[in-house]
Amino acid sequence: MCGFVVAYGENLEKKLNFKKFLNAANLVKHRGPDFDKHQRSNNFFLYHSRLSIVDLDKRSNQPFHSQNGRYILIYNGEIYNYLDIKKKLSHKYNFKTSSDTEVLLAAYIEWGKDVLKHIDGMFSFIVIDKKEKIVFFARDLFGQKPLYYKINKNFILFSSEIKPLLKLSDKKEINYSEIENYLAFNFYSHNKNTFFKSIHQIKPGHYGIYENKKIKLLNYSSFSNFQKNFKTKSKIFNSNQLISILTKSSKEHLMGDVNVGLAVSSGLDSLSLLALLKNTTLSEKLSECFTLDYGKDFSEFSEARKLVSKFGMKTNKVTYSHKEMIRDFEKLINFNEAPIGGVMHLGMSKLCKYARQKGIKVLFNGTGLDEVLLGYESSIRLYKSRSSSTERDLTLIDGSKINIGKILKKKRAKTNNFYLDNLALDLLLISKLPKNLHMLDRASMMHSVEMRSPYVNKDIFNYFLNLKFKDFFEKNLSKLPLRESLNKIFPKFNWYTQKKYIQTPQNNWMRKKESKEFFGDIVVSQNKFDQKLFSKKEVVNYWDKFLKNKLKSGLPIWQYTNIYFIEKLKLD
C-alpha cells in the first residue's frame, strides 16, 4: 500500500518546477512511511512512498523499472492472485523479487491493457513506456484504491490523493455541482468528479492512455452486462459453491509478509469474515481484533467480545467520545478531501490509529455485504414494498426521513437510478459502496494502515447478483445464503439471529454543550457558499428545532459543517 504523485509531459522541466512538485508530493508521504523516493527526467517527475507489506526488502521499492529499462511502474495496492500470474510467466521472466510489484509490471509487459483481465486485487497503477512515450494507467474494478488526475495544457498530473494536485494548481476552485449532488443524495465518488473543479478521478473499473498530450479513458468493468440482463437471473443457490468462493477470497486477502487485524462488531458482516478467516490455512496471520465503543448507551463491545471469543480470539476495545468528534472533525475532512460519513467514520480512524500502535499494518473489515445482499434497512424496506422513486429520500436507521430540499436553494435534481431489480447495483456502483470505500481508504491511510475488504470481490458480487433477491429474505432475516453457508462451516455458532440496527450517538452528541458551540458557530457564520447553496434562514431554523428535539436528525447540519471545512481545505 502506497502513495504516489506523477507528472508527465515532453520537456517537463521547462513547464513544472521540480522543487514545487516534491513539495506537493510530500503530502502523500503518510500513505507509505517505510520508504520514499523521487525520480526525474526531461519527460517525467515521479514520487512514491511505500508501506511495505509484500516482500519487505528494499529491492521492491518504487519507482520500479523493467529489466531492460524501457518501462517504469508506479503502483498502489495489492494483486491478490500475483503468485498464480508469476507461475504463468516464470518461463519467460527471471524474477528478481518476491513482490507483486514486479509481477504486475511483468504482466503488463506480457499482455498490455489485457493485464486487467488477469489481475485480481485493489490497485491504482501507472506504467510509463519510455520508448513509445505513452502512459498507461488503471484503477481496480470497485475503486478501492484512489487515482486522481489533472490535465494541463502540456502535461498531465496523477496522484493518490487530491491535495498534491490542488497544490500544483493555480487556484483551489470548489465544484458546487458535486456538492449539490452530495447534499441532495448524500453520496459521492461514484463518477469522475471530485469536490474540486479541474481535479478528476479515474472511475472504478476504468483504464486509460495518455499520448501526444491527449487522454483516452476506457471502461473494462463487466457490471454493465448485469444492467442489461438483470431479470434473467437463474442461478440456484449452492452453499458449497458459495463457501468455496468466500473462502478463496478470504485466503487471498491474507497474502503478504505481515500479520493482520480485523475491525469487528457484534454484527453478521464482520463476524462472518472472522469465521471465514479462521477457516483458511493462513488463519495464524490474524493476530488482533478491534471493536469500537461509543460509551454506555451506544456500546456493543461486551456482545462483540463474547461472540469473538467463540472463535478463539479476543478483541481490543477502542473508545470514542463526543469531545474527540469535535477535535477530529476538521482534521479528518482534510485527510478525506470530501465530507466525512459520520461518527462511525471518525471512530474508524481512531481504530486504525490504535491498530497501528499495536503493530498492525493491515486491517480487515466487512464492507460489501450490505450492498450486494441488500442488508441496509432502507434497502430491505424498499425491496419488500416494491415501491420506487426517481428521487432518493435520505432515510435514517430509525426509519425517519430527512427533507433536505427545504434548506437547499435549488430543487432536488432527478437522477438516473436502478431501483428494485437493480437496487444492488445502485448500492454497489452509486449510492453506498463508492463513498464507503473512499472513506475507509482515507481513515486508514492517514495512520499508514492498509484496509482490506475481502467481500469486495468480483466473484462474490457476480455470484450474488445472479441469485434471485427474494431468496435473500425470510421473515425478519436477511442475507440467508450467507447464513446457510456459514452454518456449514461453524454449526455451533448461531448465524440466524436477527440483525440489530445499532444507531450511532451522532445526534445525541451534536446536542451536547461542546457540540452546540462547535456546530452552532459554523451555522451562524457568514459563508460564501450560502448564497449558492442554502437558504441561511432555514439552516438556522433547522438547527434551532434540532436542539429543541423537534427534529430527530442533525444530518443537514452535519452536511453543512462538512461543506464549511471543504471550502477551507488545508494544503499542508
Side-chain angles (χ1 to χ4, degrees), residues 115-254:
V115 64
L116 299 167
K117 297 177 181 178
H118 295 268
I119 59 176
D120 180 21
M122 56 176 183
F123 54 81
S124 60
F125 69 88
I126 294 170
V127 177
I128 295 175
D129 184 338
K130 293 193 289 184
K131 180 180 177 181
E132 296 295 330
K133 295 184 178 181
I134 65 170
V135 181
F136 179 89
F137 48 92
R139 192 177 179 205
D140 67 75
L141 189 61
F142 302 103
Q144 294 184 75
K145 293 298 101 193
L147 182 54
Y148 299 97
Y149 68 99
K150 181 182 186 331
I151 301 175
N152 289 341
K153 184 177 180 181
N154 296 306
F155 62 93
I156 190 169
L157 294 164
F158 296 97
S159 178
S160 298
E161 294 186 3
I162 293 171
K163 288 189 292 295
L165 302 184
L166 288 175
K167 195 151 189 170
L168 291 170
S169 302
D170 296 329
K171 58 182 177 180
K172 181 183 72 179
E173 194 172 359
I174 299 295
N175 184 345
Y176 285 105
S177 294
E178 196 62 18
I179 286 179
E180 288 175 4
N181 192 44
Y182 157 69
L183 291 170
F185 309 120
N186 201 29
F187 56 71
Y188 57 81
S189 284
H190 61 290
N191 56 30
K192 72 172 187 177
N193 298 322
T194 71
F195 290 94
F196 304 91
K197 287 185 178 179
S198 79
I199 310 295
H200 302 288
Q201 70 167 344
I202 304 301
K203 290 171 63 176
H206 282 66
Y207 71 94
I209 296 172
Y210 182 77
E211 183 178 17
N212 296 325
K213 301 179 184 179
K214 293 181 180 179
I215 188 171
K216 183 178 182 181
L217 299 172
L218 297 158
N219 181 7
Y220 72 90
S221 167
S222 61
F223 285 109
S224 57
N225 295 329
F226 286 103
Q227 292 171 228
K228 297 173 184 176
N229 305 309
F230 218 85
K231 294 184 178 180
T232 63
K233 302 175 201 172
S234 58
K235 184 174 287 186
I236 298 173
F237 169 62
N238 181 303
S239 60
N240 290 329
Q241 187 177 12
L242 180 56
I243 290 170
S244 176
I245 294 171
L246 293 170
T247 303
K248 180 175 180 289
S249 179
S250 300
K251 182 178 180 180
E252 286 180 342
H253 278 72
L254 285 167

Side-chain angles (χ1 to χ4, degrees), residues 309-401:
S309 68
K310 295 184 178 182
F311 298 96
M313 296 286 292
K314 295 180 179 180
T315 187
N316 297 276
K317 180 195 281 190
V318 182
T319 304
Y320 199 75
S321 69
H322 75 281
K323 290 183 180 179
E324 289 175 300
M325 174 186 76
I326 297 167
R327 181 199 67 192
D328 297 340
F329 204 105
E330 182 178 6
K331 182 180 180 181
L332 193 58
I333 286 179
N334 209 55
F335 273 95
N336 201 46
E337 303 172 326
I340 54 179
V343 168
M344 188 65 73
H345 186 187
L346 290 156
M348 182 58 73
S349 174
K350 183 178 180 180
L351 188 150
C352 292
K353 181 180 181 180
Y354 184 81
R356 193 69 167 93
Q357 292 169 346
K358 295 272 288 184
I360 297 296
K361 282 186 175 183
V362 175
L363 195 64
F364 282 58
N365 75 95
T367 295
L369 276 186
D370 276 332
E371 287 80 6
V372 75
L373 285 174
L374 309 185
Y376 294 107
E377 189 177 25
S378 57
S379 305
I380 295 171
R381 284 200 306 270
L382 180 60
Y383 182 79
K384 287 187 174 181
S385 68
R386 294 294 196 274
S387 63
S388 69
S389 169
T390 54
E391 291 192 21
R392 302 166 188 268
D393 287 318
L394 298 184
T395 305
L396 304 182
I397 201 166
D398 63 2
S400 60
K401 294 183 179 181

